[in-house]
Amino acid sequence: QVQLVESGGGTVQAGGSLRISCAASGRTFSNYPMGWFRQAPGKKREFVAAITWNGDVTYIADSVKGRFTISRGSAENTVFLEMNSLKPEDTGIYYCAATKRTIQPMGLANIGLVDSWGQGTQITVSS
């Protein structure tokens, strides 16, 4: 079974930057997209970004476009989310997500197509 583990969460001042990572292990979906969702207190879980298995195509939510970047690491089944110009409204739990479906990264914005979730890592942006 696939296991997704996030790391790199923490607290940062507004305007700052932070990078979080997701490592997949076990029976991984190595040929299919991976991405990130986030959930703020009292809000629904929302899509953030996704990337193809080989890292050649990305899809970024409008709410973070121009500030966040998703990328694949040199190691297999590793995904990063670089967050810049952070705002207090970016605060929340960030979840790594994976699918075993042959879809484009934008398709992962549909939360119903996510097959595996990480436990989440807390990101707090102070004003």
Side-chain angles (χ1 to χ4, degrees), residues 13 21 23-25 41-42 56-58 64 68 74 93 101 103 122:
Q13 288 280 346
S21 305
S25 61
D56 63 338
V57 179
T58 62
V64 301
F68 289 15
S74 57
I93 302 175
R101 310 165 197 263
I103 59 175
Q122 177 71 43

Side-chain angles (χ1 to χ4, degrees), residues 18-77:
L18 202 62
R19 188 176 80 161
I20 55 177
S21 305
C22 175
S25 61
R27 189 172 295 177
T28 59
F29 313 136
S30 59
N31 294 330
Y32 305 110
M34 294 179 63
W36 294 91
F37 287 72
R38 67 184 183 185
Q39 188 166 18
K43 289 191 172 183
K44 300 177 178 65
R45 191 170 298 189
E46 67 173 352
F47 172 79
V48 177
I51 189 169
T52 54
W53 68 271
N54 62 359
D56 63 338
V57 179
T58 62
Y59 180 68
I60 311 296
D62 288 341
S63 59
V64 301
K65 188 178 297 182
R67 299 188 297 117
F68 289 15
T69 302
I70 189 171
S71 62
R72 288 270 185 176
S74 57
E76 292 184 0
N77 302 318

Side-chain angles (χ1 to χ4, degrees), residues 8 10-20 38 64 66-69 81-91 94 123-127:
T11 301
V12 64
Q13 288 280 346
S17 299
L18 202 62
R19 188 176 80 161
I20 55 177
R38 67 184 183 185
V64 301
R67 299 188 297 117
F68 289 15
T69 302
L81 185 68
E82 180 74 29
M83 300 176 286
N84 302 305
S85 301
L86 283 161
K87 306 173 181 179
E89 52 262 45
D90 294 319
T91 293
Y94 283 66
I123 300 295
T124 302
V125 183
S126 60
S127 60

